[in-house]
Structures are given as structure tokens and as C-alpha cells.
């Protein structure tokens, strides 16, 4: 049936996704069901759906990194690593005006070097930092929630990063070089957010925290050192060639378990069970999304949608800069409406052939895409981190969104720098041997 009721099979596929989603079906199942429907009405073997999923999952060693990074972040929340890191960050930057805001930013930076997930970052240290900021009314709940949501955006930029693993899957790009490319952008985002916090702290006369004596800083550093060393172990293993990124994910999970059980002695059997259970639930959600995207991407390829998009874009005769601006605007708008994983697995593959045709570096493009998607986590009306923080802080969305807008602005400004000054992204990978 080349046309069913006057509509093409692909049109029916898209309508089916929208229909299933409207009735509350998860987006992964929606894509999977709609793709099977496409195969039926286009006269193809529905077994192709299973073939695409099995081939995609069994041939991708890279995907094993995702459940392992999720487990590592769950174990970090289970242990007392978060407490040790926060105490150290407070001793380091808490003495300045708006110091607890700086602690929020720096703790997110360090925690991002272990979790690879914005949600894990916000759940791991977010509740603790918000409680510290709002104690005795020193900061409003809306400001504490806004900065907590915004700083969590750093999580998937600084390696390790689950979104970058997924991008490597769809673009056939080196995970190691993608991880290296995230370091400088993550630091740039940290600097601009600390700058905004400092500006707002002076403008609103936020309190200055009591300075922790330097004689206490060394003991706090010693206590936090096992947690601080995890990114060093992780990235050192990858870039020295000792471990692949997937093996590094396994080492991260094991390392976190060992220091939580042996050193900090903060793991109970019930806590360990819950961590494994939560990790399984999160991976099930991600795995379902990946499976649905694999089958839907077959439909997209079969309909030659990327080729059509490339031809359409060629009609505008866009330069590299013009194309990147179009991608940024598109992804920022979609980020307000869709979940980041869906955009990454469904929309981004359509842009990749056009980016390659224009000679855009795939590592650079991957970081630009990922930063866009992370900003989408804090943009209304459907920013996932906004809902999580609102729930954690018992704060209405309205004031939270208002306080978040300045953070969105500075992050978009940082995104523009990373987009149009590629060396901010590619400098470290090239230093490590990336040829482009």
C-alpha cells in the first residue's frame, strides 16, 4: 500500500508517534509501535523491526558504557561522596560573596566528572546544596533551585557523558575524543555561571559565608581525595590507552563501590539493592528509547529523509556558520518541547549528513549538539530539570522559571562561543592526537 487513505506511509508513521504520545505512551514505545505500523502499511516484513534492534544492540559495544555510568552515579548518591565533595567545595570557594552559589557551581563541575548525567547531578548534590543555600533564609528557594538546575547542565559536558556516548553511537565518532572535547567547554560554562552568580550576589547583597581556616582545608581535602581522584582515574585510563571508554565505565562503577564500602563504609545491603534497582529502571527507559529510535531511524533512512533535508538545505546555500546557526536555533526550540534523548537519537541523525557535506568536524558538531540539548533541560515549558528541582524544593514553577532565564542567557552566550570558535572544543582533542 504505497498510499493508505491518501497519506504516505511515512506520514502515517509520524501521526502514529504523535497519537501514541498524546495518549501517554512513552516516546520509545511510540516510535517502535509507529515504525511497525509503517512496515505493515508499506508492505515490508515487520521482522525488520526486531532485526534493527538486535543488530543495533548486539553490534554496539559502546552502549555498555551507559548502564555502568548510571550505576556509578547511583553508588555515588548511596555513599557519602556527595557530603565530602560539598564540604571541600565550601572550604574552597564558600568564603566569597554568594559563596554558596559558587559551591553549587563547583560541586556540579566535580560531580559531573563522575556521573555523566544532568539528572544524576541534580539528584546527587542538588538537594544538599539547595538545603545549604536556603538555610536561615540566606537565599530564596527560587534562586537556589535555578542555580542548581543550571549548574547540572555541566554534567553531560564534562566527561564522562551519557549523551556523548549516544552521539558517538549515531555518528560513528570516537568517544575518547568526544570526552576530551567536553573538558574546555565544561570549564567555560563553569566560569560564566560563576561570573553570573558573582554579579547577582553583589547586586542582591547575598551573604558572605564564614571563612573556613586553611588549617582545616587539608583534612577536608584528604577526606574528599578518593572522590576527587575518580575523574583522574577515569580519564587517565582512557587517554593513556589502558582502558576503552566502556571499560572505564566499569572501572568507575567498581571504584565508586570500593571507596563507598571500604573507605567511607556508607553502603548497606538494602541501599545497594535499591541502587541496582534504580539503575535498572533508568537503563530500561533509555534502552527502550534507543530501541525505538533504531527502528524509526531505519524508517527515516528508507524514506531518504536525510538526503531530502540535505537537498533542501543546499537550496539555501548555507555556509558552515549559517548551518550551525540553523542547527542551534532548531535544537534550542525543540529543547523547549521534547526530551533531549529523543532529539539526539531521532532529529540529530538527520542533520549529520549535511554537516559532513559542509566539512564540519564531527567532534565539534557533537559538542555543539550536546550543549544545545543540555540547555533544553532548563528551558520552559518542558525543561526536565525545572520539574525535578521544583519537586525537590517544593517551589512553584513560575518563580523558578523567572530565576532560571539569566542562566539560560549566559549558557546560550557560551554556546555561541563554542559554536564559532571551534578551537575551544578541539584544542584538547588535537593535543591528544586527534587529526580531525
Amino acid at each position: 500500500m504505497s498510499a493508505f487513505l491518501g497519506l504516505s506511509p511515512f506520514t502515517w508513521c509520524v501521526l502514529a508517534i504523535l497519537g501514541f504520545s498524546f495518549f501517554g505512551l512513552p516516546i520509545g514505545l511510540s516510535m517502535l509501535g509507529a515504525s511497525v505500523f509503517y512496515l505493515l502499511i508499506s508492505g515490508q516484513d515487520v521482522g525488520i523491526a526486531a532485526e534493527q534492534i538486535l543488530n543495533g544492540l548486539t553490534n554496539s559495544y559502546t552502549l555498555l558504557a551507559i548502564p555502568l555510568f548510571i550505576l556509578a552515579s547511583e553508588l555515588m548518591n548511596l555513599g557519602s561522596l556527595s557530603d565530602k565533595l560539598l564540604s571541600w567545595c565550601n572550604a574552597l570557594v564558600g568564603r566569597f560573596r554568594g559563596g554558596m552559589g559558587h559551591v553549587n557551581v563547583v560541586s556540579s563541575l566535580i560531580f559531573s566528572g563522575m556521573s555523566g548525567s544532568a539528572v544524576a547531578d541534580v539528584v546527587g548534590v542538588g538537594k544538599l546544596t539547595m538545603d545549604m543555600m536556603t538555610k536561615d533564609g540566606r537565599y530564596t528557594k527560587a534562586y537556589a533551585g535555578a542555580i542548581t538546575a543550571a549548574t547540572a547542565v555541566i554534567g553531560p559536558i564534562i566527561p564522562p557523558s551519557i549523551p556523548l556516548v549516544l552521539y558517538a553511537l549515531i555518528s560513528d565518532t570516537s568517544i575518547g575524543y568526544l570526552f576530551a572535547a567536553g573538558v574546555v567547554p565544561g570549564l567555560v560554562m563553569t566560569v560564566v555561571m560563576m561570573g553570573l552568580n558573582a554579579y547577582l550576589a553583589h547586586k542582591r547583597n547575598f551573604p558572605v559565608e564564614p571563612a573556613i581556616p586553611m588549617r582545616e582545608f587539608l583534612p577536608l581535602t584528604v577526606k574528599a581525595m578518593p572522590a576527587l581522584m575518580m575523574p583522574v582515574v577515569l580519564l587517565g585510563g582512557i587517554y593513556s590507552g589502558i582502558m576503552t571508554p566502556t571499560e572505564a565505565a566499569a572501572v568507575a562503577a567498581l571504584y565508586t563501590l570500593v571507596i563507598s564500602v571500604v573507605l567511607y563504609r556508607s553502603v548497606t545491603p538494602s541501599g545497594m539493592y535499591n541502587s541496582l534497582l534504580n539503575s535498572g529502571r533508568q537503563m530500561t527507559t533509555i534502552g527502550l528509547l534507543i530501541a525505538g529510535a533504531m527502528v524509526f531511524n531505519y524508517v527515516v533512512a528508507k524514506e531518504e529523509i536525510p538526503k531530502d533535508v540535505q537537498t533542501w538545505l543546499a537550496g539555501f546555500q548555507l555556509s558552515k556558520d549559517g548551518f550551525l546557526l540553523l542547527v542551534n536555533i532548531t535544537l534550542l526550540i525543540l529543547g523547549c518541547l521534547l526530551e533531549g534523548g529523543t532529539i539526539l537519537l531521532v532529529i540529530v541523525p538527520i542533520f549529520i549528513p549535511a554537516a559532513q557535506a559542509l566539512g564540519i568536524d564531527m567532534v565539534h558538531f557533537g559538542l555543539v549538539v550536546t550543549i544545545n540539548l543540555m540547555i533544553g533541560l532548563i528551558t520552559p515549558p518542558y525543561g526536565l530539570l525545572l520539574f525535578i528541582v521544583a519537586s525537590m524544593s517544593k517551589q512553584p514553577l513560575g518563580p523558578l522559571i523567572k530565576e532560571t532565564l539569566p542562566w539560560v542567557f549566559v549558557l546560550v552566550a557560551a554556546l555561541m562561543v563554542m559554536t564559532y570558535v571551534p578551537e575551544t572544543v578541539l584544542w584538547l582533542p588535537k593535543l591528544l592526537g586527534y587529526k580531525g
Side-chain angles (χ1 to χ4, degrees), residues 115-126:
S115 69
S117 164
V119 174
D121 195 336
V122 115
V123 173
V125 294

Side-chain angles (χ1 to χ4, degrees), residues 128-418:
L128 294 172
T129 51
M130 282 193 292
D131 288 345
M132 290 169 66
M133 291 181 71
T134 56
K135 185 179 180 182
D136 301 324
R138 288 177 292 181
Y139 297 80
T140 64
K141 287 186 177 182
Y143 184 81
I147 190 173
T148 299
T151 56
V153 168
I154 305 172
I157 308 301
I158 293 285
S161 166
I162 292 173
L164 287 178
V165 172
L166 292 175
Y167 175 80
L169 174 69
I170 64 174
S171 65
D172 197 27
T173 307
S174 164
I175 299 180
Y177 289 132
L178 283 169
F179 279 6
V183 174
V184 174
L187 294 175
V188 170
M189 293 164 71
T190 300
V191 169
V192 299
M193 284 194 281
M194 290 187 75
L196 177 59
N197 179 67
Y199 167 76
L200 293 175
H202 284 86
K203 182 179 179 180
R204 303 183 186 183
N205 197 31
F206 286 154
V208 177
E209 305 299 323
I212 295 177
M214 291 307 295
R215 66 176 179 274
E216 296 181 20
F217 184 70
L218 183 59
L220 288 172
T221 303
V222 171
K223 289 180 181 178
M225 188 56 67
L228 293 171
M229 283 299 295
M230 183 174 166
V232 177
V233 171
L234 195 64
L235 300 181
I238 293 173
Y239 299 122
S240 65
I242 297 174
M243 299 178 283
T244 66
T246 303
E247 291 166 346
V251 170
L254 179 62
Y255 180 87
T256 308
L257 179 62
V258 169
I259 62 175
S260 296
V261 172
V262 178
L263 192 60
Y264 296 144
R265 298 180 181 179
S266 55
V267 177
T268 62
S270 62
M272 184 65 191
Y273 172 78
N274 288 329
S275 292
L276 291 171
L277 195 61
N278 289 336
S279 300
R281 286 171 178 162
Q282 292 182 55
M283 190 56 217
T284 299
T285 302
I286 295 174
L288 189 59
L289 179 60
I290 293 172
M294 283 176 173
V295 184
F296 182 69
N297 285 340
Y298 166 82
V299 174
V300 169
K302 187 73 176 177
E303 293 287 326
E304 298 185 335
I305 302 299
K307 183 179 178 181
D308 292 341
V309 170
Q310 188 174 340
T311 303
W312 177 71
L313 291 172
F316 292 98
Q317 297 182 335
L318 292 174
S319 63
K320 285 184 183 180
D321 290 348
F323 174 77
L324 288 171
L325 179 62
L326 175 64
V327 169
N328 281 335
I329 292 173
T330 303
L331 295 183
L332 285 172
I333 292 173
L334 289 175
C336 297
L337 305 170
L338 297 173
E339 191 269 332
T342 304
I343 300 171
L344 183 57
L345 293 170
V346 178
I347 306 299
V348 173
I350 296 174
F351 285 120
I352 287 176
Q356 291 172 326
L358 287 168
I360 296 172
D361 185 273
M362 283 294 98
V363 169
H364 177 226
F365 189 66
L367 264 295
V368 170
V369 164
T370 304
I371 295 169
N372 268 290
L373 300 183
M374 295 308 102
I375 294 174
L377 292 174
I378 57 170
T379 51
Y382 297 116
L384 176 61
L385 294 181
L386 295 178
F387 288 104
I388 293 175
V389 168
S391 174
M392 289 167 55
S393 63
K394 304 294 188 292
Q395 180 69 20
L397 269 177
L400 186 60
I401 289 173
K402 183 179 177 181
E403 287 282 15
T404 305
L405 292 179
W407 301 95
V408 174
F409 176 79
V410 297
L411 286 172
V412 170
L415 169 64
M416 292 300 107
V417 173
M418 259 77 81

Side-chain angles (χ1 to χ4, degrees), residues 56-79:
L57 295 179
T58 57
N59 293 336
S60 183
Y61 175 66
T62 300
L63 284 177
L64 282 175
I66 297 176
L68 293 168
F69 281 134
I70 291 174
L71 178 59
S73 67
E74 281 291 328
L75 292 172
M76 276 180 264
N77 295 337
L78 176 65

